[in-house]
């Protein structure tokens, strides 16, 4: 986590940044996923960014062509090929998060830690601690169906006003703290009387896990983990 983590308010040089494989493995590990394959979504994403971004506006790296003679699943090999994923995320205002081999992708969490506003294009990506966190104010979402129908991601990103970007960055800082583990207790956990250790300055992942569990037993009852589609379609915004 420390490799990626920077303040969300840090100055950014690119509108969007992504380093991902344009072509995925043939295996299918997401039975619930529809609307084409992960490769279809990524191919369109790369084409859109390369066509619609102006010179220097976006940083787009296809790992299938950038990595020579190394396996794309081993991130430790990337830097030897001149691909610094953490720098790409930290220098971008928005980070597209397309579906991977499955509905989820570690890229979502890496973007959050890097302070890069996620633009999720994966209906089945799971949002941890959904009852306790407001993801909708810290990210953008394009449904897979709308994206494949031709909606321009670059147009969407350019349409965000400076005030909207600043608000999402501020809320993203809260999500950053919610997906990492620290030590001790925080005010969030203490208000439920669930922790007696030395206090921490801010809540961490364990705090949000505990609060999510407690909310499961309070009306209205909610699931501890929701997919992006469930989160938005259920009106949890």
């Amino acid at each position: 986590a420390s490799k990626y983590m920077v303040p969300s308010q840090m100055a950014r040089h690119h509108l969007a940044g992504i380093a991902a494989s344009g072509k995925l493995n043939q295996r299918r590990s997401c039975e619930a996923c529809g609307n084409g394959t992960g490769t279809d979504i990524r191919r369109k994403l790369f084409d859109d960014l390369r066509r619609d971004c102006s010179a220097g506006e976006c940083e787009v790296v296809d790992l299938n062509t950038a990595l020579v003679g190394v396996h794309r699943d081993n991130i430790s090999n990337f830097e030897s090929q001149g691909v610094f994923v953490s720098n790409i995320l930290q220098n971008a205002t928005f980070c597209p998060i397309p579906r991977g081999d499955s509905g989820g992708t570690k890229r979502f969490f890496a973007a959050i830690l890097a302070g890069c506003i996620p633009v999720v294009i994966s209906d089945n990506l799971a949002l941890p601690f959904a009852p306790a966190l407001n993801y909708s104010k810290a990210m953008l979402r394009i449904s897979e169906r709308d994206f494949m129908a031709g909606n321009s991601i670059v147009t969407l990103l350019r349409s965000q006003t400076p005030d909207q970007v600043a608000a999402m960055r501020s809320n993203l800082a809260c999500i950053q703290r919610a997906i990492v583990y620290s030590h001790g207790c925080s005010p969030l956990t203490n208000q439920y009387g669930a922790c007696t250790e030395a206090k921490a300055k801010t809540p961490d992942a364990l705090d949000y896990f505990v609060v999510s569990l407690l909310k499961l037993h309070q009306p209205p009852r909610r699931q501890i983990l929701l997919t992006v589609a469930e989160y938005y379609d259920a009106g949890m915004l």
Side-chain angles (χ1 to χ4, degrees), residues 6-14 89-93 114-115 169:
V6 296
S8 59
Q9 303 294 345
M10 188 180 77
R12 313 279 164 154
H13 301 102
H14 297 118
L89 302 182
Q90 291 166 0
N91 277 315
T93 299
R169 283 178 168 176

Side-chain angles (χ1 to χ4, degrees), residues 9-31:
Q9 303 294 345
M10 188 180 77
R12 313 279 164 154
H13 301 102
H14 297 118
L15 175 69
I18 183 172
S21 298
K23 183 178 180 181
L24 299 174
N25 297 319
Q26 293 297 315
R27 67 180 184 272
R28 184 176 178 85
S29 55
C30 181
E31 294 302 324

